[in-house]
Amino acid sequence: MTLKEIAQRAGVSTATVSYVINNSGHISEETRKKVQDIIRQTGYRTNKLAGSLRKNRTGLIGILVEDITVWHTPYIIDGINRLADEKNCYTILSNLQMVRKIDNSFDKLTGFQKDIDKAVQTLLGLQVDGIIYIGMHDRLMDNVLRKAGKPVVYCYCYTADGEASSVRYDNEKAEYRITRNVIDRGHRRIALIGGYVTSEPARLRRKGFLKALQEAGITLPKSWDECGEYDFQKGKAAAIRILTGKDGGTKKDLLPRQERPTAMVAMNDEMALGVYNAAAELGLRIPEDLSVTGFDDAEFTQQLIPPLMTAQRPLHKMGYSALSLLLERIEDESEQVTNIIYPCRIIEGASVSDFRTGDSTVKDDRKTEENGT
Amino acid sequence: MTLKEIAQRAGVSTATVSYVINNSGHISEETRKKVQDIIRQTGYRTNKLAGSLRKNRTGLIGILVEDITVWHTPYIIDGINRLADEKNCYTILSNLQMVRKIDNSFDKLTGFQKDIDKAVQTLLGLQVDGIIYIGMHDRLMDNVLRKAGKPVVYCYCYTADGEASSVRYDNEKAEYRITRNVIDRGHRRIALIGGYVTSEPARLRRKGFLKALQEAGITLPKSWDECGEYDFQKGKAAAIRILTGKDGGTKKDLLPRQERPTAMVAMNDEMALGVYNAAAELGLRIPEDLSVTGFDDAEFTQQLIPPLMTAQRPLHKMGYSALSLLLERIEDESEQVTNIIYPCRIIEGASVSDFRTGDSTVKDDRKTEENGT
DNA sequence: ATGAAAGCGCTAACAA
DNA sequence: TTGTTAGCGCTTTCAT
């Protein structure tokens, strides 16, 4: 069933039918009703692609993801979908499947220009109006879509300022606020369990952590400045070293209270979980004997006992916002390049004790990120 | 740059250029080279949509997901992408975002026909060649895409036999094999921590569990047949009831050894984690004092100490296979409806002790699901 | 081996 | 208010 056939049945021209369908032009109520009835009867559905051919606008958005199986990606896509539904645009998903190709090494995240170019060419061949690129690690990267010649927004990664719009979250401030929170509860002896040194979030989170310490006039002993490479086991090992002064110690190796930190700031939730484990092995209670914080708001943090204090990344909102920026640029090519950095929400789990009140139980009003972006 | 312009520059007809691009027709080497050179020089890229209009075939596949943020969905999509890349077809993602709409209640998974119809109409309007529907819970459902009039494959859910193709995994056999494994290691006192009673996987897993018990001549005491609703906290509470005979017991409430199970089969990994917690609270070591199994192969199971015995669902393969079935039907409409059920891979974590050898440490050769589907 | 030309289903300028 | 008509960029039949 085509628009032409509808026109014939209704005894009007194709233009009239087109006007009715698109609410354009000036159509009499009578004609409109007649046409709509026939459309309903026949179950006619317009061929969007044919229209696009003429209009040179498809309403298609390319979502180019480095890897869809990486934890944050689907949440970002979900945010994109949310706005796409509102704006009647459609998403073509292109998945570079980098995890498989790089074998999980953070350092090989380059040299994919050929894969990317191919994916972009495909998307452009499908006449997408613009592209959102979702990174698998938050980082500064080449403007790999420079040649696209269509509006582009980077999400969960970014390029040199001014080159393209991007949407990120604020690593530094979030870690600062977490650390501040810990300090405000009376902690002065605080250790750090860091992520991959080459990773940008690790660098930023460290910066935020140190800033909070500095503001409070606290110094970080060298032996409390460990690296856990974002890994559970390594995080646990780091915690044990800090708490015992030895590699792989047990209960009896535990340092005297005044030589141990009262709190540990881990740069992600996995390592925080490692700290929980280390504490359990050493017979330390959380948070009475040791406070812990994480980062990322992994699902399991809600189920730990006690719940973990962590930072929730605004993933849904980042996706929503990325599409919003993209659509603006599609509407108006002259639109400014915009680089957005959203704050995280700090989830105040009960994993940090409060020395001021002596009460370690903290209100836990955690909700999942509001979808009402 | 259009095909027509290429033709002009090359001094040939548009037909010839089309032949060169598509390797069809009989073109002299000379002409071919000339055209190809010009294509390269100009950076011309063919407009796939325009071609589709004529061919009545787009190479577009609609992926209609109930919710992309549900754990298994991205892995299935990843499998689809894998084959899509090979076959040069493109995926349009439509996300029903059901989680938000049903507020996580398993029982409201119906009444979405309107949403689905709308999404399907949109996909059909974009001229997709077929649709893959990915469920958020494995279940029998209405053939909600009956009206699509295009090939459809259900994945991670299914409709009445013969109505449409589907791809699932074998809940019953996997739980059977897990339970067999536990029994084969010498366990006779085995408790069950079940999932939502209304959920089909729970029913099937239960069936597999009971079958293994029956074959071994083991009966399940009523008090060892608990329901944890797939939830961590409820799973933990169930474990405590089973181990102490009371709601919320502590170490001193622990039942005598001969009145406790030696193993607990939990129907998912979350609840298994609850069992780990319960055991820790009651001073029981895993697996020496209590063995545990899970289901689903959640990421954290690899990091538990000891690693959890669980069942890995063939998600990537399910996606790959769903697209494969779909493409067959697109090629040949007369193709049979096919319902595939893949087995799970049992991950032999060290969370189950072996009474035969006295050795509870089991080889742990876990790898992630092979991508080489 | 190559070209002319008729569409695919729709939109939009222009005419009536 | 409605109709005529010329495309959008490509494929494909039928001639040559």
PDB file of all heavy atoms in Angstrom, chain B residues 237-252:
ATOM      1  N   ALA B 237      18.451 -14.207  54.069  1.00  0.00           N
ATOM      2  CA  ALA B 237      17.509 -14.546  55.140  1.00  0.00           C
ATOM      3  C   ALA B 237      17.087 -16.012  55.042  1.00  0.00           C
ATOM      4  O   ALA B 237      17.016 -16.729  56.048  1.00  0.00           O
ATOM      5  CB  ALA B 237      16.282 -13.628  55.063  1.00  0.00           C
ATOM      6  N   ALA B 238      16.839 -16.454  53.811  1.00  0.00           N
ATOM      7  CA  ALA B 238      16.436 -17.852  53.607  1.00  0.00           C
ATOM      8  C   ALA B 238      17.535 -18.785  54.083  1.00  0.00           C
ATOM      9  O   ALA B 238      17.280 -19.784  54.771  1.00  0.00           O
ATOM     10  CB  ALA B 238      16.119 -18.086  52.132  1.00  0.00           C
ATOM     11  N   ALA B 239      18.765 -18.452  53.749  1.00  0.00           N
ATOM     12  CA  ALA B 239      19.895 -19.289  54.150  1.00  0.00           C
ATOM     13  C   ALA B 239      19.983 -19.361  55.671  1.00  0.00           C
ATOM     14  O   ALA B 239      20.216 -20.429  56.253  1.00  0.00           O
ATOM     15  CB  ALA B 239      21.186 -18.737  53.557  1.00  0.00           C
ATOM     16  N   ILE B 240      19.778 -18.236  56.306  1.00  0.00           N
ATOM     17  CA  ILE B 240      19.853 -18.215  57.772  1.00  0.00           C
ATOM     18  C   ILE B 240      18.748 -19.077  58.389  1.00  0.00           C
ATOM     19  O   ILE B 240      18.990 -19.834  59.341  1.00  0.00           O
ATOM     20  CB  ILE B 240      19.789 -16.758  58.286  1.00  0.00           C
ATOM     21  CG1 ILE B 240      21.127 -16.063  57.956  1.00  0.00           C
ATOM     22  CG2 ILE B 240      19.528 -16.713  59.793  1.00  0.00           C
ATOM     23  CD1 ILE B 240      21.200 -14.619  58.365  1.00  0.00           C
ATOM     24  N   ARG B 241      17.559 -18.970  57.833  1.00  0.00           N
ATOM     25  CA  ARG B 241      16.470 -19.828  58.332  1.00  0.00           C
ATOM     26  C   ARG B 241      16.840 -21.295  58.216  1.00  0.00           C
ATOM     27  O   ARG B 241      16.650 -22.093  59.129  1.00  0.00           O
ATOM     28  CB  ARG B 241      15.175 -19.563  57.540  1.00  0.00           C
ATOM     29  CG  ARG B 241      14.395 -18.351  58.014  1.00  0.00           C
ATOM     30  CD  ARG B 241      12.970 -18.351  57.457  1.00  0.00           C
ATOM     31  NE  ARG B 241      12.924 -18.292  56.003  1.00  0.00           N
ATOM     32  CZ  ARG B 241      13.037 -17.176  55.293  1.00  0.00           C
ATOM     33  NH1 ARG B 241      13.227 -16.019  55.911  1.00  0.00           N
ATOM     34  NH2 ARG B 241      12.961 -17.208  53.982  1.00  0.00           N
ATOM     35  N   ILE B 242      17.374 -21.645  57.073  1.00  0.00           N
ATOM     36  CA  ILE B 242      17.720 -23.046  56.849  1.00  0.00           C
ATOM     37  C   ILE B 242      18.841 -23.502  57.790  1.00  0.00           C
ATOM     38  O   ILE B 242      18.836 -24.621  58.295  1.00  0.00           O
ATOM     39  CB  ILE B 242      18.143 -23.265  55.384  1.00  0.00           C
ATOM     40  CG1 ILE B 242      16.941 -23.035  54.457  1.00  0.00           C
ATOM     41  CG2 ILE B 242      18.701 -24.668  55.183  1.00  0.00           C
ATOM     42  CD1 ILE B 242      17.273 -23.060  52.981  1.00  0.00           C
ATOM     43  N   LEU B 243      19.786 -22.636  58.037  1.00  0.00           N
ATOM     44  CA  LEU B 243      20.957 -23.032  58.823  1.00  0.00           C
ATOM     45  C   LEU B 243      20.718 -22.955  60.327  1.00  0.00           C
ATOM     46  O   LEU B 243      21.419 -23.601  61.109  1.00  0.00           O
ATOM     47  CB  LEU B 243      22.159 -22.147  58.455  1.00  0.00           C
ATOM     48  CG  LEU B 243      22.691 -22.340  57.024  1.00  0.00           C
ATOM     49  CD1 LEU B 243      23.651 -21.221  56.655  1.00  0.00           C
ATOM     50  CD2 LEU B 243      23.361 -23.711  56.873  1.00  0.00           C
ATOM     51  N   THR B 244      19.754 -22.161  60.745  1.00  0.00           N
ATOM     52  CA  THR B 244      19.532 -21.980  62.181  1.00  0.00           C
ATOM     53  C   THR B 244      18.164 -22.473  62.642  1.00  0.00           C
ATOM     54  O   THR B 244      17.934 -22.660  63.829  1.00  0.00           O
ATOM     55  CB  THR B 244      19.619 -20.488  62.571  1.00  0.00           C
ATOM     56  OG1 THR B 244      18.528 -19.795  61.942  1.00  0.00           O
ATOM     57  CG2 THR B 244      20.924 -19.877  62.133  1.00  0.00           C
ATOM     58  N   GLY B 245      17.257 -22.608  61.685  1.00  0.00           N
ATOM     59  CA  GLY B 245      15.900 -22.966  62.071  1.00  0.00           C
ATOM     60  C   GLY B 245      15.113 -21.760  62.563  1.00  0.00           C
ATOM     61  O   GLY B 245      13.985 -21.870  62.999  1.00  0.00           O
ATOM     62  N   LYS B 246      15.744 -20.591  62.541  1.00  0.00           N
ATOM     63  CA  LYS B 246      15.053 -19.386  63.010  1.00  0.00           C
ATOM     64  C   LYS B 246      15.178 -18.259  61.990  1.00  0.00           C
ATOM     65  O   LYS B 246      16.056 -18.267  61.146  1.00  0.00           O
ATOM     66  CB  LYS B 246      15.681 -18.886  64.317  1.00  0.00           C
ATOM     67  CG  LYS B 246      15.932 -19.948  65.319  1.00  0.00           C
ATOM     68  CD  LYS B 246      16.312 -19.334  66.655  1.00  0.00           C
ATOM     69  CE  LYS B 246      16.557 -20.471  67.655  1.00  0.00           C
ATOM     70  NZ  LYS B 246      16.803 -19.997  68.994  1.00  0.00           N
ATOM     71  N   ASP B 247      14.313 -17.281  62.139  1.00  0.00           N
ATOM     72  CA  ASP B 247      14.466 -16.061  61.360  1.00  0.00           C
ATOM     73  C   ASP B 247      15.581 -15.242  61.984  1.00  0.00           C
ATOM     74  O   ASP B 247      15.561 -14.972  63.176  1.00  0.00           O
ATOM     75  CB  ASP B 247      13.173 -15.230  61.398  1.00  0.00           C
ATOM     76  CG  ASP B 247      12.191 -15.697  60.346  1.00  0.00           C
ATOM     77  OD1 ASP B 247      12.625 -16.399  59.406  1.00  0.00           O
ATOM     78  OD2 ASP B 247      11.005 -15.378  60.475  1.00  0.00           O
ATOM     79  N   GLY B 248      16.552 -14.872  61.194  1.00  0.00           N
ATOM     80  CA  GLY B 248      17.605 -13.987  61.677  1.00  0.00           C
ATOM     81  C   GLY B 248      18.372 -14.499  62.866  1.00  0.00           C
ATOM     82  O   GLY B 248      18.455 -13.831  63.888  1.00  0.00           O
ATOM     83  N   GLY B 249      18.938 -15.664  62.785  1.00  0.00           N
ATOM     84  CA  GLY B 249      19.724 -16.208  63.886  1.00  0.00           C
ATOM     85  C   GLY B 249      21.159 -15.712  63.860  1.00  0.00           C
ATOM     86  O   GLY B 249      21.585 -15.043  62.942  1.00  0.00           O
ATOM     87  N   THR B 250      21.900 -16.034  64.891  1.00  0.00           N
ATOM     88  CA  THR B 250      23.326 -15.709  64.928  1.00  0.00           C
ATOM     89  C   THR B 250      24.099 -17.003  65.161  1.00  0.00           C
ATOM     90  O   THR B 250      23.515 -18.085  65.206  1.00  0.00           O
ATOM     91  CB  THR B 250      23.640 -14.740  66.080  1.00  0.00           C
ATOM     92  OG1 THR B 250      23.242 -15.378  67.302  1.00  0.00           O
ATOM     93  CG2 THR B 250      22.886 -13.442  65.912  1.00  0.00           C
ATOM     94  N   LYS B 251      25.414 -16.852  65.363  1.00  0.00           N
ATOM     95  CA  LYS B 251      26.290 -18.011  65.501  1.00  0.00           C
ATOM     96  C   LYS B 251      25.762 -19.065  66.468  1.00  0.00           C
ATOM     97  O   LYS B 251      25.764 -20.247  66.187  1.00  0.00           O
ATOM     98  CB  LYS B 251      27.664 -17.545  65.972  1.00  0.00           C
ATOM     99  CG  LYS B 251      28.757 -17.861  64.960  1.00  0.00           C
ATOM    100  CD  LYS B 251      30.089 -17.389  65.464  1.00  0.00           C
ATOM    101  CE  LYS B 251      30.781 -16.566  64.397  1.00  0.00           C
ATOM    102  NZ  LYS B 251      32.211 -16.392  64.639  1.00  0.00           N
ATOM    103  N   LYS B 252      25.271 -18.604  67.590  1.00  0.00           N
ATOM    104  CA  LYS B 252      24.892 -19.584  68.619  1.00  0.00           C
ATOM    105  C   LYS B 252      23.607 -20.328  68.283  1.00  0.00           C
ATOM    106  O   LYS B 252      23.279 -21.335  68.895  1.00  0.00           O
ATOM    107  CB  LYS B 252      24.787 -18.899  69.993  1.00  0.00           C
ATOM    108  CG  LYS B 252      23.644 -17.903  70.088  1.00  0.00           C
ATOM    109  CD  LYS B 252      23.513 -17.418  71.526  1.00  0.00           C
ATOM    110  CE  LYS B 252      22.369 -16.418  71.695  1.00  0.00           C
ATOM    111  NZ  LYS B 252      21.218 -16.573  70.856  1.00  0.00           N
TER     112      LYS B 252
END
